[in-house]
Amino acid sequence: MNRNILNLAMTLGLVAVMDYRFTGNAVHEVLGIVLELLFVLHNALNRFWYGAIGTGNQNLFRGLVTAVNLLLLLMILVVTGTGVLISQTVFAAFSLSGHLWVHQLHTFSAYSGFILCGIHLGLHWRAIAGRICRELGLDSSQASIVLAGRVASLFIIGYGIYSSFSHQIGAKLFFEHVFSGWGAKPSLLGFLVDYPAIFGCYTLITHYLVQLLQNRDFAGRN
């Protein structure tokens, strides 16, 4: 399977499962299973990375990649396990849906994993963006392309921060069970824009922080 298609499918699937109110329970659970299978495939294709942990030259960037990847793997395992325990459709026979802490842990691991996926993508964004530009026949060093990318990045980061507050991401990460708005189905536009912006926000902030660290490291050597 083409890795670009796999990565795109994973990103779209991740965004689609983030708002339970929009998809409904049955679709949410099925999408979650599909997403987990895509993660398994992604890890299978990158299985040699695990064997290389701790080998070769170590630096800050590689340490960050390792920490993020391992934390992301942990969150995937937790969200999968808790998802089974609160299932109302696919795994209803195993349900512990009456236990509030299971719901809170599922929410925490889901949003933590969502953010970590954005950070994971941001750590590799320079290579990914370069590959996309090559496939589209664009010169990534062209001044107009660089300017357009930075303007788009500022908009995504700004709106992503706003959406993070409006969707109470912090409350979900701190195990605060948020009931407000659960019964109200979000608009299609809000669903299609808000969560991609939140995801893109963490991706781009990570990308620019990595660039800053690498530029400082390079300057320190000269």
Side-chain angles (χ1 to χ4, degrees):
M1 185 177 185
N2 185 286
R3 289 177 184 249
N4 291 334
I5 295 176
L6 174 60
N7 291 337
L8 178 60
M10 289 170 61
T11 303
L12 293 176
L14 185 62
V15 170
V17 299
M18 291 311 297
D19 202 316
Y20 179 93
R21 299 170 301 168
F22 187 84
T23 59
N25 179 74
V27 175
H28 178 80
E29 291 190 18
V30 172
L31 283 175
I33 293 171
V34 172
L35 186 58
E36 297 300 334
L37 293 175
L38 291 177
F39 275 121
V40 170
L41 178 57
H42 177 78
N43 277 272
L45 291 173
N46 295 280
R47 61 189 180 280
F48 298 110
W49 177 84
Y50 292 96
I53 294 177
T55 63
N57 295 326
Q58 301 294 319
N59 53 44
L60 178 59
F61 177 75
R62 189 173 177 186
L64 286 172
V65 171
T66 300
V68 169
N69 288 355
L70 293 179
L71 283 172
L72 178 55
L73 178 61
L74 175 61
M75 290 302 103
I76 292 171
L77 293 175
V78 174
V79 78
T80 301
T82 54
V84 171
L85 293 177
I86 63 175
S87 172
Q88 298 176 30
T89 305
V90 181
F91 302 104
F94 304 98
S95 178
L96 292 176
S97 56
H99 292 70
L100 181 60
W101 69 269
V102 182
H103 287 270
Q104 290 177 318
L105 187 56
H106 183 72
T107 300
F108 166 78
S109 56
Y111 279 89
S112 296
F114 183 68
I115 292 171
L116 286 168
C117 279
I119 295 173
H120 172 79
L121 191 64
L123 290 170
H124 305 284
W125 185 246
R126 176 179 287 183
I128 294 171
R131 187 162 59 245
I132 292 173
C133 285
R134 287 193 299 272
E135 291 180 355
L136 295 176
L138 301 174
D139 181 5
S140 59
S141 63
Q142 188 176 341
S144 60
I145 300 296
V146 173
L147 178 61
R150 288 178 178 173
V151 170
S153 296
L154 285 174
F155 174 78
I156 292 170
I157 291 172
Y159 190 74
I161 292 173
Y162 165 78
S163 297
S164 294
F165 282 100
S166 64
H167 287 276
Q168 300 174 296
I169 303 299
K172 295 177 175 68
L173 292 176
F174 285 97
F175 291 89
E176 296 176 12
H177 205 62
V178 181
F179 290 99
S180 59
W182 270 33
K185 187 175 181 179
S187 68
L188 177 62
L189 181 61
F191 178 71
L192 294 177
V193 174
D194 290 5
Y195 281 98
I198 295 170
F199 186 84
C201 170
Y202 287 102
T203 296
L204 291 169
I205 289 175
T206 301
H207 166 65
Y208 285 116
L209 286 177
V210 167
Q211 276 195 326
L212 180 63
L213 289 172
Q214 291 178 335
N215 289 339
R216 284 187 176 181
D217 183 57
F218 178 78
R221 295 179 182 179
N222 293 278

